[in-house]
DNA sequence: AGCTAAAATGTTTTT
DNA sequence: CATTTTAGCT
């Protein structure tokens, strides 16, 4: 393929970007401006001018994006690109470590623990340190702290000295957690990055044999510190480093993504060329209008403006539903309309929500209406019991030190090995880790015969089973191996002996797993470790491209990088989007706004926004307010949201927005499946509503210590102290909560005392 | 030891 | 409301 032909398919800025050589390049690519396209064509261009594919590496954020990118490059070059490395940070590191981790005294058949595994491990640690998990030491928090600590390491030559906690219990937990991982010859997600860096820092020569000359990073705004260090390590001074990103789409701050990485690129890599792409090739004008109106409320905002040549386009539609069922029905009806009369396919539609819990109601409505849908990114399949079981068998076969996996399956199916025996076994393992297939020898060394209540024979039987499978597993292809394990272990037999629908389904699932294994070995060769890596690191976003004819239901986070003709964003309410947890701090609030922005900019032709007047949360009805994001979109003259009361009554201007509300509420009957709203479409004036809200706010602008206040969700509370711009309120149900003075009025209503 | 039933606890997003 | 954990029972 000749280079000129490749360049002819790009606009001026894109062309400039991809032809830069021997200098660091940052492409600031607005939503829909061809971000991925730029990387794809850059790589194709490099190969077309004679660069060797194996000198090229690209990192994307999801496995799906990586696959897609590979496919597109292959089709441009007609397959002439074997050897280029395109993967996520995590799977890149996993591959690196499979080769090199021996340097750190791990075995290269290490297991990768996913978040669920890590969480269980933390729970174990809590138990053995005798800490109450419902105190401040909740497993989730601990895991979070550990992850944060790993993300703030700077010197990877002495990783252990670098990780410190103020709380000594957490420090202990951390050490125990790491110790257990090591005993199991296992790594968690962060460790994949940390260990890679540790090797590079301690054994610089390793880098030489793992070098890539041309490095590309997609979604640079979402890289965390560890990933940033990886980029630095592999890219050196940045010569031929090519990163693409958009600070307005940074939505992974909570996972340690550091927006500074992109903001400071020019400092990190001197002589960098920065190229902005602002022409949007995706959305209609009204959609872009709304997107711009929203995002300009952020303080971290470079002020670029997306524009499009596309003329016309439907207005953005807003529906204020009665409750979440009504909302779901609205979405369903509109989709039916789009499919029936506008010539769209179901798969041209996507419903985006902030929290997974929101999907259920929508699913119910779709089921009732007979709208086919796919829930994207739900853990579903791989978290089913039988699937986890078979994975643990495979893990143990690959990595016989994995005691964690062992515990799950040693008595699955029943082998008469109870908790007492397992406890004992674990004690031995934690003193001197051993591979299960050599247990017989260990037992002899330790003279375990005398132990009471220890099912020695049965454990030996089990260890022999694993040993037997291990002796042959490299000969089998993965499909056969799955079969063999299920048969030898008696797992299948015990499932078959119970003749319930449930067990039938389990067997069915195991068959599906087998075909996945076969498929994998056909495409990637017969490598169990690779297969297991893939299983831990993959997420089900793959469901997306594979099947047509289904409406896609996904979280806003999942939607990053995707596009659909018709987008529905549901639940635009204070507390949901923006989410409660992120409302009180400017940085997190702005991230919520970016999240909303990401959602809006996924739309090609039609954008629908919905909210509900009442919603069931935690089994309780709440009456939410409009999301401030909605109001920002509607009142276009607010300069900076966080300093201005967000329901401004002046300058109301529903630009690009068409509002629909149900006419009469009286007619609505809620009850089982009878719910049939019968929608009416009218233009509505929101000003009345704003006025009411604004008056409420005016009433309670000044707070004093001792005032009683009412909070939407936490009910009654009392102001206990006010200092500087902070305000502390005690709620009987919640304890002490902090508010920013400038914001407090939006959440608290003063109660007059009699 | 292993199961069932009741109680508690938790939902933000994911590699 | 829904899932997970625990207690209490056989």
């Amino acid at each position: 393929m000749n280079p000129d032909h490749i360049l002819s398919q790009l606009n001026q800025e894109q062309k400039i970007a991809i032809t830069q050589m021997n200098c660091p390049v940052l492409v600031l690519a607005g939503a829909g401006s061809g971000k991925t396209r730029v990387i794809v064509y850059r790589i194709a261009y490099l190969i077309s001018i004679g660069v060797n594919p194996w000198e090229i590496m690209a990192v994307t954020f999801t496995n799906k994006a990586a696959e897609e990118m590979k496919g597109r490059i292959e089709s441009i070059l007609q397959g002439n690109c074997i050897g280029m490395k395109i993967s996520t940070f995590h799977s890149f590191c996993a591959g690196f470590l499979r080769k090199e981790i021996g340097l750190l005294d791990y075995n290269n058949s290490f297991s990768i623990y996913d978040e669920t595994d890590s969480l269980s491990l933390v729970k174990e640690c809590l138990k053995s340190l005798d800490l109450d998990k419902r105190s401040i030491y909740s497993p989730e928090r601990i895991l979070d702290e550990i992850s944060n600590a790993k993300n703030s390491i700077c010197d990877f030559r002495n990783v252990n000295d670098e990780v410190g906690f103020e709380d000594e219990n957490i420090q202990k937990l951390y050490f125990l957690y790491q110790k257990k991982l090591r005993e199991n010859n296992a790594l968690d997600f962060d460790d994949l990055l940390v260990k890679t860096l540790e090797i590079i820092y301690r054994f610089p020569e390793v880098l030489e044999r793992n070098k890539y000359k041309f490095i590309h990073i997609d979604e640079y705004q979402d890289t965390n510190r560890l990933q940033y260090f990886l980029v630095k390590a592999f890219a050196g001074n940045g010569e031929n480093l090519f990163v693409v990103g958009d600070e307005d789409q940074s939505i992974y701050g909570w996972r340690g993504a550091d927006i500074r990485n992109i903001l400071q690129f020019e400092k990190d890599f001197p002589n960098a060329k920065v190229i902005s792409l602002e022409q949007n090739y995706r959305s209609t004008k009204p959609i872009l209008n709304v997107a711009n109106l929203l995002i300009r409320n952020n303080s971290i905002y470079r002020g670029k403006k997306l524009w499009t040549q596309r003329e016309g386009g439907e207005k953005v539609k807003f529906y204020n539903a009665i409750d979440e069922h009504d909302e779901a029905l609205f979405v369903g009806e509109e989709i039916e309309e789009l499919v029936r009369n506008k010539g769209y396919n179901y798969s041209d539609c996507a419903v985006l929500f902030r929290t997974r819990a929101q999907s259920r109601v929508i699913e119910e409505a779709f089921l009732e209406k007979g709208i086919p849908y796919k829930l994207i990114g739900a853990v579903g399949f791989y978290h089913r019991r039988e699937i986890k079981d078979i994975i643990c068998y495979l893990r143990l076969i690959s990595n016989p030190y994995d005691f964690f996996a062992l515990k799950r399956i040693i008595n699955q199916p029943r082998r008469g090995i109870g908790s007492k025996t397992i406890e004992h076994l674990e004690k031995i393992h934690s003193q001197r880790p051993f591979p299960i297939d050599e247990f017989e020898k260990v037992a002899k060394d330790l003279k375990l015969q005398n132990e009471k209540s220890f099912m020695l024979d049965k454990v030996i039987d089990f260890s022999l089973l694993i040993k037997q499978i291990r002796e042959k597993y490299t000969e089998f292809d993965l499909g056969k191996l799955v079969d063999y394990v299920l048969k030898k272990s008696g797992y299948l037999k015990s499932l078959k002996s119970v003749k319930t629908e449930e067990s039938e389904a389990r067997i069915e699932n195991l068959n599906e797993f087998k075909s996945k294994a076969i498929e994998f070995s056909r495409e990637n060769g017969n490598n169990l470790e690779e297969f297991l890596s893939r299983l831990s690191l993959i997420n089900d976003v793959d469901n997306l491209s594979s099947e047509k004819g289904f409406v896609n239901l996904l979280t806003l986070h999942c939607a990053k990088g995707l596009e659909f003709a018709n987008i529905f964003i549901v639940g635009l309410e204070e507390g949901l989007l923006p989410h409660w947890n992120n409302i009180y701090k400017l940085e997190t609030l702005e991230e919520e706004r970016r999240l909303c922005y990401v959602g809006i900019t996924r739309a090609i032709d039609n954008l629908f926004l919905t909210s509900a007047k009442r919603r069931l949360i935690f089994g309780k009805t709440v009456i939410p307010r409009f999301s401030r994001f909605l109001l920002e979109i509607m009142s276009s003259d607010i300069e900076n949201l966080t300093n201005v009361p967000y329901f401004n009554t002046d300058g109301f201007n529903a630009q690009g927005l068409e509002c629909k509300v149900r006419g009469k509420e009286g007619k609505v009957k809620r009850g089982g499946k009878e719910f049939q709203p019968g929608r009416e479409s009218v233009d509505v004036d929101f000003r009345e509503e704003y006025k009411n809200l604004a008056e409420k706010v005016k009433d309670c602008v000044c707070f004093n210590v001792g005032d009683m206040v009412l909070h939407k969700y936490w009910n009654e509370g009392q102001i206990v102290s006010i200092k500087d711009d902070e305000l502390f309120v005690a709620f009987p149900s919640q304890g002490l909560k902090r508010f920013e003075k400038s914001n407090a009025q939006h959440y608290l209503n003063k109660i007059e005392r009699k």
Side-chain angles (χ1 to χ4, degrees), chain A residues 397 437 464-475 484:
Chain A
I397 287 155
D437 53 334
L464 289 177
L465 169 74
I466 299 298
K467 190 173 185 180
Q468 199 182 1
I469 302 173
R470 268 178 67 76
E471 271 159 10
K472 332 187 110 167
Y473 84 93
T474 44
E475 300 167 21
Y484 188 68

Side-chain angles (χ1 to χ4, degrees), chain A residues 106 113 118 121-122 142-156 159-160 162-165 173-175 177-179 181-182 186-195 197-198 224-227 229 255-256:
Chain A
Y106 278 80
Y113 284 6
S118 302
L121 204 58
V122 169
I142 300 301
L143 208 55
D144 210 43
E145 297 259 348
I146 290 176
S147 179
N148 284 340
K150 286 179 179 174
N151 263 291
S152 43
I153 300 171
C154 288
D155 182 356
F156 294 88
V159 167
N160 269 338
E162 288 269 314
V163 182
F165 300 87
L173 280 164
Y174 168 76
F175 280 131
Y177 174 79
Q178 284 311 115
K179 180 168 167 273
L181 282 174
R182 189 173 258 278
L187 304 176
D188 68 11
F189 282 156
D190 292 319
D191 280 348
L192 289 172
L193 310 184
V194 173
K195 300 293 175 199
L197 283 161
E198 198 177 340
N224 64 26
R225 256 183 98 77
L226 293 173
Q227 292 163 340
F229 277 114
R255 224 178 66 196

